[in-house]
Amino acid sequence: METSTRAIVSLSVQLCNFHFQRSSRKHGSCGLRRLVPRNGILTAVNKPRPKPALTMALAKSGDCQVTELQAGERLFLGMDFGTSGARYALIDKDGTIHSEGKREYPRYMSGETIDWVRSWRKTLFSLLEDVPVHLRPLVASISIDGTSATTLIVNSNTGEPLWRPFLYNESCPDALPIVKSIAPENHTVCSGSSTLCKLVSWWNIENSSKDSALLLHQADWLLWLLHGNLGVSDYNNALKVGYDPELESYPPWLLSHPYSQLLPSVVAPGTSVGYVKEDIRNQLGFSKDCAVCTGTTDSIAAFIAARATEPGKAVTSLGSTLAIKLLSTSRIEDARYGVYSHRLDDKWLVGGASNTGGAILRQLFTDQQLDQLSEKINPMEQSPLDYYPLKSVGERFPVADPNLAPRLHPRPECDIEFLHGILESIARIEAKAYNLLKHLGATQVEEVFTAGGGAKNEKWTKIRQRVLGLPVRQATQTEAAFGAALLALKGAQQSIN
Ligand SMILES: Nc1ncnc2c1ncn2[C@@H]1O[C@H](COP(=O)(O)OP(=O)(O)O)[C@@H](O)[C@H]1O
Ligand SMILES: O=C(CO)[C@H](O)[C@H](O)COP(=O)(O)O
């Protein structure tokens, strides 16, 4: 069996082994039904088939066409709503990519601020329209990942937002003392950028219409646009509002407060929660049995895409932000450092998300300049420059300090040296993060896969390998959209079981 197929099989088994939880409308933890994949389903994945040559294609220039599809074969659609843009990946049950595309977010303005709700809604339907028309009827399920803790407060009857979204890295320090007073010490929610701080901050706004309000995360709301069942989230997105993925319920210390009435019900990522709505099916040509499955966060989707399945394997997402996920048998959380653990089946993804990363690179260089300047860097030479590269004040992890200021001086005359200093300084932050996780008791990291836009920078990979003292390599699949598509595959297999 081909290695890649084996990886898909093990990942599909792992995904199918997620606990499946049927949650009540509100908050109760519910009966668990452990999913045991029927061999018959997975042997279909075992069938080694020649992998057709793939050509990547942007949606705008048509689609990535893989000619070979078995009669009756179904496809699985994953969409990633990241920081700087959104992407889709359309795969078959072997993980072969049949079409891919990406869209920048349109910058609709509402006064001085970007109308993100309008932009995300437009981008969702633009991506669906970019899926080749002849492949849409074959789509068996859809899933979406979004940026973690990006929070919407919507009307619980209509689903329409009652307030502007709180973005993933937005901090609400006004709510932090209240949240710290109700949550256990150093709990994941005890961070200004947590979803719970955003909820409490909104709740304390004078005339906020509290009676008919509901909290959704970005991925939840986008998925609701497709399935129409309001008020469902997944236990990765719900972590930062206080949901306990081990108890599989919201904790009593949270449920005793009035704002807990806004909380969505929670199921496992990749759980089918409905079918694509009739009006969307008729307009776009998706099939009546096209299921819509709960999603996850963008960095977890990137981890799933990397197919790292053993404790000690880690994924660093070098997207707009530096997000770290280490597969661990032990659950670690400590808000003093911005460390928390997401659940992945019966293991834990320990890590956090720094505000350093590609966003500061994009502010200083174009992607072409990054390629050209990186080519001239000697990655084996240590940079003497010691920066803390941030776009603005505030850091989440491995230092949780809302007042941490960017440090990008002195700037050398030579841009090659400047970029080398930035890449090496981000590598040092990455190394500090992995050492912190080890110090806090997580499984020792053995190998790091890289996802996100920075994964293609070979010189940066070599710098990171030197600084981390670990094997570092680009994940076979670096796109979170591929991970979301694997979640859609999991949901479809669950529906069959
Ligand atoms: N050659 C490169 N080296 C390092 N970083 C790069 C390179 N090319 C692009 N990037 C960075 O990748 C980031 C985009 O990655 P992506 O995964 O699309 O981010 P996100 O999903 O968070 O929006 C940008 O911030 C950009 O600066
Ligand atoms: O930085 C981010 C946006 O890209 C998110 O914070 C990232 O998803 C990390 O959050 P999580 O660890 O909950 O996935």
Side-chain angles (χ1 to χ4, degrees):
M1 183 164 61
E2 279 180 62
T3 311
S4 60
T5 309
R6 186 183 300 119
I8 287 277
V9 170
S10 95
L11 189 71
S12 302
V13 170
Q14 190 188 67
L15 288 174
C16 291
N17 279 338
F18 268 99
H19 284 294
F20 179 70
Q21 164 193 313
R22 296 188 185 291
S23 67
S24 64
R25 164 70 187 88
K26 278 292 175 188
H27 313 305
S29 73
C30 314
L32 278 181
R33 179 163 68 85
R34 184 164 181 75
L35 277 174
V36 177
R38 263 206 325 255
N39 283 337
I41 300 296
L42 287 177
T43 48
V45 182
N46 286 350
K47 231 181 282 170
R49 289 187 306 156
K51 290 273 181 282
L54 291 182
T55 50
M56 295 281 282
L58 289 187
K60 294 195 182 87
S61 58
D63 58 277
C64 164
Q65 190 64 59
V66 174
T67 49
E68 164 206 12
L69 265 175
Q70 312 292 337
E73 177 134 30
R74 302 305 297 273
L75 299 175
F76 310 94
L77 177 62
M79 288 189 263
D80 163 44
F81 277 69
T83 308
S84 57
R87 304 148 188 84
Y88 81 82
L90 186 62
I91 68 171
D92 64 24
K93 61 186 180 309
D94 294 328
T96 303
I97 297 173
H98 289 257
S99 179
E100 283 187 301
K102 64 190 288 187
R103 288 274 178 163
E104 303 300 322
Y105 294 129
R107 289 178 68 83
Y108 298 125
M109 300 306 288
S110 171
E112 291 299 303
T113 57
I114 297 177
D115 184 345
W116 284 111
V117 166
R118 186 179 167 207
S119 181
W120 293 332
R121 191 197 311 252
K122 172 66 177 168
T123 303
L124 173 66
F125 290 99
S126 298
L127 280 182
L128 289 174
E129 287 161 5
D130 289 340
V131 175
V133 176
H134 67 286
L135 295 180
R136 294 178 200 167
L138 305 182
V139 178
S141 53
I142 300 173
S143 187
I144 297 175
D145 70 76
T147 48
S148 184
T150 293
T151 305
L152 294 96
I153 307 293
V154 304
N155 179 307
S156 55
N157 300 307
T158 68
E160 286 309 311
L162 295 172
W163 192 256
R164 67 165 181 76
F166 295 87
L167 296 185
Y168 67 94
N169 59 347
E170 181 171 348
S171 189
C172 297
D174 57 299
L176 193 49
I178 300 168
V179 169
K180 283 186 172 179
S181 70
I182 67 168
E185 191 179 14
N186 297 329
H187 188 280
T188 298
V189 298
C190 298
S191 152
S193 62
S194 74
T195 310
L196 186 55
C197 276
K198 292 161 184 172
L199 172 57
V200 170
S201 182
W202 176 83
W203 184 265
N204 292 334
I205 293 170
E206 273 305 302
N207 55 358
S208 50
S209 48
K210 300 174 175 58
D211 297 339
S212 54
L214 170 71
L215 181 143
L216 289 178
H217 307 89
Q218 179 193 30
D220 309 334
W221 183 74
L222 290 163
L223 287 162
W224 164 74
L225 290 176
L226 298 182
H227 57 59
N229 300 323
L230 202 51
V232 182
S233 186
D234 65 271
Y235 57 51
N236 291 143
N237 272 294
L239 182 79
K240 294 175 180 175
V241 77
Y243 186 81
D244 186 327
E246 199 162 14
L247 294 176
E248 299 192 335
S249 68
Y250 292 105
W253 58 263
L254 176 57
L255 292 177
S256 59
H257 292 275
Y259 36 77
S260 66
Q261 71 193 24
L262 274 72
L263 297 176
S265 59
V266 178
V267 294
T271 301
S272 174
V273 290
Y275 294 97
V276 175
K277 292 191 298 189
E278 187 178 4
D279 58 328
I280 297 174
R281 287 202 320 264
N282 294 340
Q283 182 196 346
L284 295 177
F286 289 94
S287 59
K288 199 168 183 177
D289 67 348
C290 180
V292 183
C293 305
T294 46
T296 185
T297 70
D298 55 354
S299 68
I300 293 175
F303 185 92
I304 293 174
R307 303 174 194 159
T309 56
E310 296 305 317
K313 304 292 187 188
V315 172
T316 296
S317 292
L318 291 178
S320 298
T321 61
L322 166 72
I324 280 176
K325 291 278 169 293
L326 167 62
L327 198 56
S328 169
T329 52
S330 47
R331 179 182 185 182
I332 310 284
E333 62 176 40
D334 193 329
R336 291 174 299 171
Y337 309 102
V339 173
Y340 47 83
S341 292
H342 276 292
R343 176 175 160 186
L344 186 72
D345 188 21
D346 61 352
K347 298 183 188 70
W348 297 98
L349 288 178
V350 182
S354 163
N355 288 334
T356 195
I360 183 65
L361 291 171
R362 186 152 276 172
Q363 191 174 42
L364 295 164
F365 306 104
T366 65
D367 287 5
Q368 189 181 18
Q369 286 169 330
L370 287 172
D371 287 337
Q372 291 165 350
L373 293 168
S374 298
E375 263 313 298
K376 301 185 176 75
I377 290 172
N378 174 1
M380 304 327 289
E381 195 177 281
Q382 183 176 335
S383 167
L385 297 166
D386 177 21
Y387 297 139
Y388 205 101
L390 294 171
K391 266 185 82 174
S392 57
V393 171
E395 173 58 315
R396 296 180 288 171
F397 165 78
V399 175
D401 179 356
N403 302 310
L404 185 71
R407 189 174 70 245
L408 281 162
H409 291 287
R411 176 167 181 166
E413 285 296 309
C414 170
D415 272 353
I416 299 166
E417 289 173 28
F418 184 43
L419 177 60
H420 187 172
I422 294 172
L423 296 182
E424 184 135 353
S425 298
I426 295 175
R428 291 182 196 126
I429 294 168
E430 184 184 6
K432 179 183 172 82
Y434 281 115
N435 288 332
L436 172 64
L437 299 183
K438 177 185 170 190
H439 172 71
L440 292 176
T443 301
Q444 167 75 31
V445 58
E446 292 166 4
E447 180 173 19
V448 176
F449 293 90
T450 314
K456 60 175 174 283
N457 188 321
E458 292 174 9
K459 295 295 182 72
W460 197 2
T461 299
K462 290 190 170 75
I463 289 170
R464 294 171 50 231
Q465 203 150 265
R466 170 171 53 83
V467 172
L468 291 171
L470 286 167
V472 177
R473 59 193 174 109
Q474 179 169 351
T476 314
Q477 286 295 343
T478 61
E479 288 293 347
F482 185 84
L486 288 176
L487 280 183
L489 167 59
K490 173 204 168 192
Q493 287 177 327
Q494 267 183 6
S495 308
I496 296 167
N497 284 341

